[in-house]
Amino acid sequence: MAETIFMDEAEALNCFVKIGYISELEPAGQFSRWVSNHDILVFRRNGVIRAFSNVCPHFGGPVGYHQMTEGKFTCLWHNLQFDADTGQCLSVTKFKLREYKLMIKDEIIFARLVEA
Amino acid sequence: MPGLYSKFSEEVSFPRGLIIWNYFDHEHVVGTHFEHYHQIRILAEESNWCLSQRSATLPFMPIKMWATQFCYLKSDKWMRSFHFGPFGLLLEQDFHFEDVGSQGCRVTVESHMNVPRILRWLQPFFHKLMRRWFYSVWAEDTEMRERRLKVWQLGFRDFVGLNYVNNKTAGPARPDVDRPYPIELPVPKITEIARGGVGRPFKNSRKLGYGLSELPE
């Protein structure tokens, strides 16, 4: 499940970067965008906004090229499929998409790129 | 020149190794080119050749057609390809890759098809067909090559991804635009040659594309 972050606003602004707007989720329920050398797939699932890496670990294809169907993303290049709840690849089990922690403020979506 | 013939040439800002990777990544035809190809089965493959069966819909002819393709890298600048279609038709293609500077390449594709003299009047149609096919597939490959080059220059490793993304650490300050792109064949596969092949796992797609434009600073 998506993680809710509680932190001081000043601290949060240091850790998170802006990746888009809530309005950009319409009408498809998802969008992707490169931010600071991260390609991030943002989507709404069961009312919760989440974000995975949009870079397929296979050859680097775009996981969010097609609209999510039946709870699965299908990478454009080689049709590898990923579970939208877990990021787990259903085609090659050793692959899993990284999930980004999000913060939403004033209709703007921020993601935490660096955690380590 | 006997039979039907067409020639197209394009210069691109991708290294030759990436272009050859793209042509020898046979499994992508049912992914990247999902609107043209329905299925592919790799029958046999070695480091510089591949034999495959493909099901495709050609421009102007909304019918599915199976063809057997044999392609091989005659040199690291020349690929030959043979498509065996229905009614004994054989399409022969030569792909020449010419370096343009250190990071560019000119791709020239010559296509030939021997036909009885009585069918030579098909030449304009053949040229139009090959042109439509070449440029529609080319456009899809260009987007793929652009992205592949981008992640490559960010340090992407096949079957691993981007380490800084996976490890949640700071990424590179800037892409390594000089990272060499070696020619390493065969391209690793996710499916096994002995299996029945791969096809599109969906009937319809709502295409959202390669992503939104970057946010202003």
Side-chain angles (χ1 to χ4, degrees), chain B:
Chain B
M1 180 63 64
L4 310 176
Y5 175 79
S6 74
K7 180 178 179 179
F8 303 102
S9 191
E10 284 288 333
E11 191 175 308
V12 291
S13 52
F14 309 114
R16 180 161 44 92
L18 193 156
I19 301 282
I20 291 173
W21 169 83
N22 185 212
Y23 280 116
F24 274 80
D25 172 29
H26 308 285
E27 290 175 319
H28 87 273
V29 299
V30 289
T32 306
H33 308 301
F34 72 93
E35 290 179 304
H36 311 290
Y37 289 95
H38 312 283
Q39 238 177 325
I40 182 165
R41 183 181 172 206
I42 297 170
L43 303 169
E45 184 176 23
E46 290 295 338
S47 62
N48 68 336
W49 61 264
C50 180
L51 178 68
S52 65
Q53 278 186 311
R54 295 150 181 240
S55 163
T57 303
L58 294 179
F60 310 119
M61 292 187 284
I63 50 169
K64 281 187 191 177
M65 208 168 74
W66 277 94
T68 301
Q69 188 213 19
F70 178 76
C71 70
Y72 75 105
L73 207 58
K74 194 169 170 62
S75 76
D76 61 6
K77 292 185 177 178
W78 183 7
M79 182 178 87
R80 302 216 70 208
S81 177
F82 303 89
H83 300 260
F84 303 88
F87 313 114
L89 290 174
L90 170 61
L91 174 68
E92 301 173 52
Q93 291 183 302
D94 287 276
F95 295 73
H96 294 281
F97 311 108
E98 182 188 344
D99 289 332
V100 178
S102 60
Q103 295 291 328
C105 186
R106 171 163 285 282
V107 182
T108 302
V109 184
E110 290 182 272
S111 305
H112 317 251
M113 184 181 279
N114 283 332
V115 294
R117 187 172 296 275
I118 195 169
L119 293 179
R120 300 275 168 81
W121 60 271
L122 288 171
Q123 170 61 34
F125 177 72
F126 178 78
H127 183 72
K128 202 171 171 182
L129 179 76
M130 297 311 295
R131 181 182 179 81
R132 172 76 70 92
W133 182 262
F134 177 82
Y135 282 108
S136 55
V137 172
W138 182 268
E140 292 165 351
D141 275 332
T142 296
E143 290 180 315
M144 182 177 183
R145 292 164 182 167
E146 280 172 356
R147 182 182 174 89
R148 175 70 176 177
L149 185 61
K150 180 166 186 164
V151 297
W152 184 259
Q153 292 178 341
L154 289 171
F156 187 88
R157 289 193 297 139
D158 293 344
F159 293 85
V160 175
L162 293 164
N163 274 336
Y164 66 89
V165 171
N166 298 338
N167 300 332
K168 305 178 182 180
T169 54
R174 62 186 61 83
D176 177 6
V177 295
D178 295 320
R179 183 183 179 192
Y181 202 108
I183 301 169
E184 289 176 350
L185 301 178
V187 172
K189 299 290 177 293
I190 50 172
T191 54
E192 294 173 21
I193 285 173
R195 287 187 186 164
V198 289
R200 302 182 313 199
F202 51 82
K203 284 187 178 172
N204 300 303
S205 161
R206 179 171 177 189
K207 294 191 290 183
L208 303 177
Y210 275 82
L212 302 180
S213 57
E214 294 191 26
L215 290 169
E217 292 293 329

